[in-house]
Amino acid sequence: MMNLIHSNCINRSQISSSPVSIHGVPLPRRNKKKHSAVRVSNFAASSTEVVADNGRRSLTASVDSKSRALTSGMSSSALEQLDIERGVCIPFRKYSPETVRNKVLESRGAVASLILRGVEIVWKLGLYWSSLMYDCLVGRDKEVVPFRARQLRNLLCDLGPSFIKAGQVLANRPDIIREDYMNELCILQDDVPPFPNQVAFKIIEEELGQPLEALFSKISSRTIAAASLGQVYRATLCSSGEDVAIKVQRPQIEPIIYRDLFLFRTLASFLNGISIQKLGCNAELIVDEFGEKLLEELDYTLEARNIEDFLENFKGDPTVKIPLVYKNLSGSRVLVMEWIDGIRCTDPQAIKNAGIDVNGFLTVGVSAALRQLLEFGLFHGDPHPGNIFAMRDGRIAYVDFGNVAVLSQQNKQILIDAVVHAVNEDYSEMANDFTRLGFLASGTDVSPIIPALEAIWQNSAGKGLSDFNFRSVTGKFNKLVYNYPIRIPERFSLVIRSLLTQEGICFTLKPDFKFLEVAYPYVAKRLLTDPNPALRERLIQVLFKDGVFQWKRLENLIVLAKENVAKMSSNPALQVKNGPTSRSWQTVSKLDLTDTIKDGARLVLFDEGIRRQLLLALTEDSKLHVEELVDVYKLVEDDINIPAVAMEVVQDFPNVVRDFLLSWSNSVLSNR
């Protein structure tokens, strides 16, 4: 079993290689000159999908024996199996139910502590539950929702860091909690009471083994930010005079977290039946999913590694700032990072006063978010306004990398498939994408979901880019979650929150900002220019609908891709000088379609099906479509360097001849 697990692991410094052919046509391997090597943190890949039997809603799901085994799994082996199924696994796991149990029960007086804590939790939550039941009995449950939501937030704060973190998670889970409560719990993400400075400074000295005066010439007397697991100070290094941010963990938090996780899972074992019936998933695995992520955030050495991964991924991007981490001054409870002297994204006037081009900054932000999601597969899981800053030179800066998530290569390709299916209005395949991503249990009948998906997408996208926004789509999707057996995997709840939060920031800075007007050009550029054969395959799917070539769609893709290049190349963040010398990077000012043209020529040469479809497209309706071809050429003529393309064709000619002969010989042999 362990050999199988390790053979499916994603290496820390690479993601699984993509196929090197389309429709059986070999494509040349290329070095990705434009992008840095993608790094994926092993420890970030901790989200757990639950494939569970479901009996609470109108659909019927025929779940195979493997799925049933997962719903009843009570050990870490179930988590390992889930890792294999989603294409990501972890060679070392900080969390397992057995580890938590052993950690809690090994301490002296553990049983008495558990009983007292259990009584406290049951008493306080029981009183709150009783008040909800009373509201229902007297018929005022709808009237007092805002009050009860605030009461729940205050109760979670009172119960401690584990419950604050649980509230933050629930704020992004429409499959578990209703929307009005979610909105109130969002306050927990950036408004938690701090602990005393004296305690924080003592932890820093204990962790680093030196007095504060020996390391820092000054340190802020007040916290810069406070969260559920720690708080942040600003300081100046004695050695270099550089300003840094010091993140300090709350005192004695680890035993509290372990104790609460043990109680959570014990309670969950009694709720499995109700959970499967009402929520469509196993309660124990929900706790495992939460506990795994929580223990990772508790170890700041893992956050330091996440920062290194982001630095590596964005090292060639002139529009994104990731803080450096001082590993020699960091430990499991203290993290020292470069101070980010930026402007909070919730202050549009300050951004304008600093002379920052708002449109350029928003374009940079959306592009950075989409690169994390669709290119790297490693994305910031908590991009609320306190974690994103506008630099005075137009760059976007991210901080707080404790909560990051990973999408496997397979998941990224399925997401792109979903975009392609949405463009082609293929709602049946969109529903199947939900199953492939883990939103639906394997074997679920998706036919009743198809009309609901069609209604959501057409109502949202049919209004055009001017009225489309993720919040309205998410609101409709939340209702879909309650009507059908859909569960949102943890990492995709982070994706949804990330998109919603960043769209909210965009609206704060520019109320009439159109998110898709930036997102679509980015996706179009990737489809047209990325040499990844998987994306080449998706491009073909976009350009052919029901066997008919879509000339207008090709023109739109080219226009959108050129728009993305123009916006990025004219961005002020690329023009600013950094000190006495300008930044040493090259700005791409034209849409480079060289590789696309070469790969397209290969497909036409080798693939009989593609060749036939193109001939039909050129002669559709018994007429030559020369005009459409001329229109496409006019769009790209300024972006094609004919001599350069010709030179590359000549250099690649021997490989083309070899591949042609191999293809011809294979076809001859296969016909015998």
Side-chain angles (χ1 to χ4, degrees):
M1 174 58 132
M2 291 308 296
N3 289 335
L4 177 62
I5 291 168
H6 284 235
S7 67
N8 284 275
C9 283
I10 285 183
N11 187 278
R12 179 178 173 80
S13 61
Q14 64 185 25
I15 54 178
S16 58
S17 60
S18 302
V20 292
S21 66
I22 302 176
H23 293 285
V25 177
L27 294 182
R29 294 181 181 272
R30 301 187 182 95
N31 294 324
K32 289 195 174 183
K33 296 175 284 185
K34 300 176 186 176
H35 307 300
S36 60
V38 178
R39 298 184 72 186
V40 178
S41 171
N42 289 329
F43 299 96
S46 64
S47 57
T48 305
E49 294 179 14
V50 180
V51 182
D53 187 23
N54 194 307
R56 74 179 174 103
R57 298 180 179 127
S58 59
L59 295 183
T60 56
S62 58
V63 184
D64 60 20
S65 58
K66 185 185 293 185
S67 297
R68 293 192 187 94
L70 287 176
T71 61
S72 60
M74 295 186 180
S75 68
S76 58
S77 60
L79 297 177
E80 293 167 353
Q81 182 64 35
L82 288 169
D83 286 338
I84 296 172
E85 291 185 351
R86 71 175 182 243
V88 175
C89 67
I90 314 169
F92 170 73
R93 190 186 298 277
K94 288 184 68 67
Y95 172 88
S96 73
E98 294 81 4
T99 302
V100 171
R101 183 175 62 248
N102 295 338
K103 194 93 171 179
V104 170
L105 296 180
E106 71 183 7
S107 60
R108 182 177 298 178
V111 175
S113 174
L114 285 171
I115 292 174
L116 290 174
R117 178 62 169 169
V119 169
E120 179 191 10
I121 293 171
V122 171
W123 174 253
K124 291 183 176 180
L125 291 180
L127 285 176
Y128 180 75
W129 183 261
S130 300
S131 64
L132 293 179
M133 292 300 99
Y134 176 76
D135 292 338
C136 290
L137 286 173
V138 300
R140 64 173 190 178
D141 50 314
K142 294 183 180 179
E143 302 171 19
V144 297
V145 163
F147 171 74
R148 294 302 182 199
R150 285 194 302 273
Q151 192 178 29
L152 176 61
R153 174 173 58 84
N154 293 330
L155 174 61
L156 295 178
C157 285
D158 186 46
L159 284 171
S162 304
F163 285 84
I164 294 173
K165 202 67 191 175
Q168 293 174 348
V169 171
L170 289 174
N172 307 297
R173 296 300 296 265
D175 54 333
I176 297 177
I177 194 169
R178 50 188 287 173
E179 188 172 3
D180 35 23
Y181 280 81
M182 284 171 53
N183 294 334
E184 183 66 31
L185 293 179
C186 282
I187 298 174
L188 292 173
Q189 294 170 352
D190 199 30
D191 186 15
V192 179
F195 59 94
N197 288 344
Q198 296 82 357
V199 177
F201 296 161
K202 184 178 179 182
I203 292 173
I204 296 172
E205 292 180 337
E206 289 175 354
E207 191 72 17
L208 303 185
Q210 296 184 60
L212 281 178
E213 314 83 65
L215 299 170
F216 309 105
S217 58
K218 61 180 179 180
I219 187 168
S220 59
S221 58
R222 297 180 61 184
T223 57
I224 304 301
S228 55
L229 303 183
Q231 57 196 38
V232 178
Y233 294 89
R234 181 174 182 173
T236 303
L237 293 176
C238 290
S239 57
S240 63
E242 295 173 296
D243 283 348
V244 294
I246 310 174
K247 188 174 180 179
V248 190
Q249 193 174 102
R250 288 184 178 272
Q252 299 300 316
I253 193 173
E254 187 174 284
I256 295 172
I257 295 291
Y258 274 100
R259 182 187 62 189
D260 287 350
L261 285 176
F262 179 82
L263 291 171
F264 287 168
R265 206 170 193 281
T266 302
L267 176 63
S269 65
F270 295 102
L271 299 176
N272 278 334
I274 298 174
S275 173
I276 291 174
Q277 182 182 6
K278 300 293 184 182
L279 299 176
C281 52
N282 189 310
E284 285 183 324
L285 285 179
I286 290 178
V287 174
D288 290 344
E289 187 177 61
F290 169 70
E292 194 172 39
K293 200 68 178 173
L294 182 55
L295 291 188
E296 285 182 7
E297 288 191 57
L298 210 57
D299 188 347
Y300 288 174
T301 60
L302 301 187
E303 182 172 350
R305 297 184 69 179
N306 289 336
I307 294 174
E308 290 179 333
D309 291 335
F310 273 80
L311 281 167
E312 179 66 24
N313 286 345
F314 281 110
K315 70 178 181 182
D317 193 325
T319 64
V320 178
K321 172 64 179 175
I322 306 295
L324 298 173
V325 60
Y326 296 82
K327 295 190 75 170
N328 60 320
L329 296 176
S330 302
S332 61
R333 295 185 299 162
V334 173
L335 184 64
V336 178
M337 301 160 286
E338 175 186 4
W339 177 259
I340 296 296
D341 188 19
I343 304 169
R344 286 178 71 106
C345 291
T346 50
D347 192 349
Q349 192 57 49
I351 290 177
K352 292 174 184 175
N353 292 342
I356 298 172
D357 178 66
V358 173
N359 286 328
F361 175 72
L362 293 177
T363 300
V364 162
V366 174
S367 298
L370 291 172
R371 288 194 73 193
Q372 293 174 51
L373 184 62
L374 298 176
E375 186 176 335
F376 305 141
L378 175 68
F379 65 95
H380 198 297
D382 192 20
H384 63 75
N387 289 339
I388 299 180
F389 295 88
M391 305 297 285
R392 285 169 174 78
D393 57 7
R395 289 179 294 169
I396 186 171
Y398 292 91
V399 299
D400 191 359
F401 296 87
N403 188 2
V404 302
V406 165
L407 291 179
S408 67
Q409 184 75 3
Q410 180 185 24
N411 282 169
K412 289 188 294 178
Q413 291 180 4
I414 296 172
L415 281 177
I416 294 172
D417 283 343
V419 173
V420 171
H421 295 146
V423 170
N424 287 341
E425 297 182 351
D426 190 344
Y427 302 108
S428 176
E429 284 302 317
M430 279 183 71
N432 289 328
D433 292 334
F434 272 72
T435 302
R436 294 164 66 200
L437 290 171
F439 286 77
L440 291 165
S442 177
T444 300
D445 177 18
V446 299
S447 56
I449 300 177
I450 295 171
L453 284 175
E454 184 175 357
I456 289 175
W457 184 255
Q458 288 189 344
N459 288 341
S460 301
K463 299 175 183 178
L465 296 183
S466 59
D467 295 314
F468 183 96
N469 67 79
F470 282 108
R471 186 161 298 281
S472 65
V473 173
T474 304
K476 294 170 185 174
F477 181 72
N478 291 350
K479 295 177 182 177
L480 184 69
V481 164
Y482 277 100
N483 293 325
Y484 298 97
I486 296 173
R487 175 186 178 272
I488 302 177
E490 188 264 351
R491 66 187 179 282
F492 288 114
S493 73
L494 294 180
V495 170
I496 293 169
R497 178 176 74 175
S498 176
L499 291 173
L500 284 175
T501 303
Q502 292 181 77
E503 184 186 57
I505 292 172
C506 292
F507 287 153
T508 299
L509 296 178
K510 187 181 178 185
D512 61 344
F513 180 75
K514 310 300 184 288
F515 192 90
L516 285 190
E517 286 185 356
V518 177
Y520 266 176
Y522 169 83
V523 174
K525 178 174 173 287
R526 281 213 69 197
L527 281 173
L528 284 173
T529 62
D530 197 307
N532 185 330
L535 287 177
R536 290 280 190 254
E537 187 81 44
R538 273 69 181 179
L539 176 60
I540 292 171
Q541 293 175 22
V542 168
L543 295 179
F544 287 92
K545 183 180 181 182
D546 300 326
V548 178
F549 190 82
Q550 305 295 306
W551 291 102
K552 194 64 179 175
R553 194 170 284 175
L554 176 58
E555 291 178 27
N556 289 340
L557 282 174
I558 294 172
V559 169
L560 289 169
K562 292 178 71 172
E563 182 183 328
N564 176 267
V565 172
K567 283 183 177 180
M568 294 303 292
S569 62
S570 63
N571 196 293
L574 298 171
Q575 317 300 328
V576 172
K577 292 185 178 297
N578 187 10
T581 59
S582 60
R583 295 181 188 150
S584 57
W585 49 65
Q586 189 173 7
T587 302
V588 178
S589 58
K590 287 189 176 183
L591 181 66
D592 185 1
L593 295 174
T594 303
D595 289 340
T596 310
I597 292 170
K598 287 171 59 181
D599 290 344
R602 276 176 169 268
L603 280 173
V604 173
L605 181 63
F606 293 120
D607 192 303
E608 184 180 350
I610 293 291
R611 195 162 56 243
R612 185 185 303 113
Q613 285 180 310
L614 283 176
L615 287 173
L616 288 173
L618 288 169
T619 59
E620 190 182 357
D621 298 328
S622 301
K623 67 174 184 178
L624 284 174
H625 289 258
V626 178
E627 185 179 342
E628 288 89 340
L629 200 58
V630 171
D631 290 341
V632 170
Y633 177 74
K634 285 180 179 178
L635 285 173
V636 300
E637 62 178 334
D638 293 335
D639 300 292
I640 299 177
N641 187 335
I642 300 297
V645 173
M647 181 61 69
E648 291 208 26
V649 169
V650 170
Q651 291 175 348
D652 199 38
F653 185 73
N655 293 328
V656 173
V657 172
R658 182 199 63 191
D659 291 338
F660 178 78
L661 291 174
L662 287 173
S663 177
W664 174 78
S665 61
N666 286 336
S667 64
V668 170
L669 291 173
S670 62
N671 289 330
R672 287 195 169 188

